[in-house]
Amino acid sequence: MSVLGAVQNFINQVSGQVNKSDNPLGLSAGQIDEINQILTLIKAIISDGIKRGDISKMVVLMGEMAEHMPELKPEIDEIINDLKKLSKKLFEDPESLGINDSPEQGLLGMEMGLANVEDTDGLLGSSLTSSGQGLPIGEQLDPRLLEETEDERSQLAEGILNFVNDNVILPQANFEALSNGLQKIERRAGLKSVDNPSIKTDEFSKDPIASDYYVDGNSAAPAA
């Protein structure tokens, strides 16, 4: 089985346990919903339709968890660092993978300004905005980028799922950290532009990989 197949199987196993009708883990309805939300985020990382905003949301979520689980901060920092590296490879630095398409092809051009991006998974019922860097809105990632990063994305998704499974779902001791992280994503995604209240925007558009959660400074991150 491929790395991607193994991760998909792992996600399905966790989802199956969490959503069993007899609720063997003793989860509340709210906890089940929160787990399903993070599973959706994890699946986005291995999806061919991955967006910069998917990575940004995961960085914010992991940063919030680091705030509430300082004993696990080194492990979380490593995940955040890997997420930022992935964002750079996919959306900012295609030359790192030996891909040098001309700007006319529009695959990784820098020409687009802020524009609305539909959150296709409907996560948290919000619309997110692009940072204006990387892909033009509506463009798909170069298949070569997706292929080159498939194992990296799969291993990262597996690492996040292992972390959540081992430190949140099974012991259920850190659900507050997951809840707070998801709430922070929702608040950020729901912020409206002061200049134009009719346009939904969020802090992801200002910093696409949520760099207020620096890898070496999660505890100093400002509250939303």
Side-chain angles (χ1 to χ4, degrees):
M1 181 182 292
S2 66
V3 176
L4 178 59
V7 174
Q8 290 172 327
N9 185 55
F10 187 15
I11 291 173
N12 290 337
Q13 287 180 358
V14 173
S15 179
Q17 282 294 110
V18 167
N19 293 287
K20 271 188 175 179
S21 58
D22 60 349
N23 193 13
L25 299 177
L27 301 169
S28 70
Q31 289 172 335
I32 292 172
D33 179 64
E34 288 167 352
I35 294 170
N36 285 327
Q37 288 184 53
I38 195 172
L39 289 177
T40 297
L41 275 178
I42 294 170
K43 285 188 283 188
I45 292 175
I46 59 176
S47 167
D48 286 351
I50 183 173
K51 298 182 180 69
R52 184 195 294 263
D54 297 325
I55 300 177
S56 297
K57 287 184 281 188
M58 187 63 79
V59 168
V60 170
L61 180 58
M62 298 308 299
E64 185 69 17
M65 295 180 85
E67 289 287 304
H68 291 82
M69 295 183 277
E71 72 281 5
L72 298 172
K73 187 175 181 296
E75 184 178 350
I76 297 172
D77 284 349
E78 185 175 351
I79 291 173
I80 291 175
N81 193 37
D82 288 343
L83 285 164
K84 291 185 176 185
K85 287 178 180 177
L86 176 62
S87 181
K88 184 175 179 65
K89 285 182 180 180
L90 288 176
F91 300 103
E92 297 175 23
D93 191 15
E95 291 187 3
S96 69
L97 296 178
I99 295 173
N100 296 284
D101 287 316
S102 64
E104 289 76 16
Q105 291 178 293
L107 288 169
L108 286 156
M110 306 287 284
E111 69 273 25
M112 292 297 291
L114 293 178
N116 285 334
V117 175
E118 187 72 19
D119 183 12
T120 55
D121 289 322
L123 184 67
L124 303 173
S126 303
S127 293
L128 302 181
T129 55
S130 165
S131 69
Q133 294 183 342
L135 287 177
I137 302 306
E139 292 283 352
Q140 297 297 312
L141 281 170
D142 188 326
R144 292 170 294 175
L145 280 169
L146 294 169
E147 182 178 357
E148 289 285 344
T149 60
E150 182 177 298
D151 284 351
E152 181 179 353
R153 289 184 290 125
S154 297
Q155 290 168 6
L156 180 53
E158 182 177 18
I160 296 170
L161 184 56
N162 271 317
F163 176 85
V164 173
N165 190 55
D166 294 345
N167 297 292
V168 179
I169 297 175
L170 294 180
Q172 298 186 31
N174 294 311
F175 254 101
E176 183 180 359
L178 177 58
S179 301
N180 289 341
L182 290 169
Q183 289 170 11
K184 180 163 286 189
I185 291 171
E186 184 172 13
R187 287 196 301 271
R188 283 168 164 243
L191 289 176
K192 291 187 177 182
S193 169
V194 174
D195 295 330
N196 189 347
S198 67
I199 298 176
K200 287 188 178 181
T201 187
D202 56 52
E203 292 190 28
F204 299 125
S205 67
K206 301 173 187 175
D207 185 343
I209 53 171
S211 63
D212 53 334
Y213 288 99
Y214 292 106
V215 174
D216 294 321
N218 299 73
S219 60

